[in-house]
Amino acid sequence: KNETSYNATRDKFKYTDCVNSNYSNISSFYSGKSLNGAWDGGSTWNREHTWPNSKGDKAENGENDIMMLRPTSSSENSSRGNKAYGKNSGYYNPNNESGGTLDLRGDVARICLYVYTRWGNTSRMWGSNGVMESLTVLLEWMEADPVDTWEMGRNDSVQSITGTRNVFVDYPEYAWLLFGQDVPA
């Protein structure tokens, strides 16, 4: 397993989040907009902690984990802030930045579950003080937005860098089994 430092992750996004195999451009996580991949000190884009540091993502090297960090335009990152993901008022719906053209709900849910299990952040998962509104919303989002080829490719790219994978991308049914729920058809 090879860990990346927080600073090193910005140079790895050209492999994990490139646009159409063009290593000069990266895809902003929430909107899908193509951004110049060159680091400019965070003026154009920065690293979105899908599990915010303020909600307990400081376990070991969790805050450096490129599986959980995503390149995001600075304005989109600011728009999300540290709000928990969810569908009700006061929560952040990851589909909003793309105007509904991208469905990222399942992507977000799988990343949150990855951090939940890998880094043991179990006390800050649910509710407005956590990262996800509820277990019901998490499983609903995973079913509504199944794994796609982008996520599978990113999982492969992260593995080539760190040697780790998001098991919930490879085996989404584990999410239901983890919580003793019936796996949907």
Side-chain angles (χ1 to χ4, degrees):
K1 177 181 100 149
N2 300 310
E3 294 177 356
T4 56
S5 70
Y6 181 67
N7 285 335
T9 59
R10 65 181 178 226
D11 299 320
K12 302 297 183 190
F13 290 134
K14 65 183 174 186
Y15 304 113
T16 61
D17 294 85
C18 65
V19 177
N20 298 324
S21 299
N22 177 348
Y23 298 125
S24 298
N25 294 323
I26 57 174
S27 177
S28 183
F29 181 49
Y30 294 123
S31 68
K33 292 177 186 170
S34 180
L35 304 170
N36 183 324
W39 181 246
D40 63 4
S43 295
T44 304
W45 61 272
N46 51 37
R47 292 151 289 185
E48 161 74 335
H49 287 84
T50 52
W51 188 300
N53 283 339
S54 66
K55 297 184 188 252
D57 180 38
K58 294 186 179 175
E60 296 181 31
N61 289 316
E63 74 170 338
N64 304 330
D65 192 333
I66 197 167
M67 186 68 76
M68 180 271 305
L69 291 168
R70 299 301 299 266
T72 306
S73 80
S74 297
S75 63
E76 293 168 23
N77 193 326
S78 179
S79 175
R80 191 262 170 132
N82 291 334
K83 291 180 196 155
Y85 295 107
K87 62 182 189 176
N88 291 309
S89 176
Y91 291 92
Y92 184 81
N93 184 329
N95 290 359
N96 289 346
E97 294 291 343
S98 73
T101 60
L102 294 177
D103 194 345
L104 299 170
R105 297 170 300 167
D107 302 49
V108 163
R110 285 180 282 278
I111 291 169
C112 290
L113 279 175
Y114 163 84
V115 175
Y116 178 85
T117 56
R118 178 169 169 90
W119 300 108
N121 293 334
T122 58
S123 66
R124 296 296 298 272
M125 182 65 162
W126 313 118
S128 59
N129 290 324
V131 294
M132 183 62 68
E133 182 176 359
S134 67
L135 175 61
T136 301
V137 170
L138 180 134
L139 295 176
E140 179 184 307
W141 283 9
M142 286 191 60
E143 186 174 3
D145 176 29
V147 176
D148 56 27
T149 55
W150 172 266
E151 266 186 291
M152 289 185 274
R154 188 172 197 281
N155 209 21
D156 293 342
S157 294
V158 170
Q159 180 185 19
S160 72
I161 294 167
T162 66
T164 59
R165 298 183 65 80
N166 183 341
V167 68
F168 300 103
V169 171
D170 293 329
Y171 303 99
E173 64 273 15
Y174 285 4
W176 285 269
L177 297 173
L178 176 67
F179 296 106
Q181 306 283 319
D182 291 332
V183 178

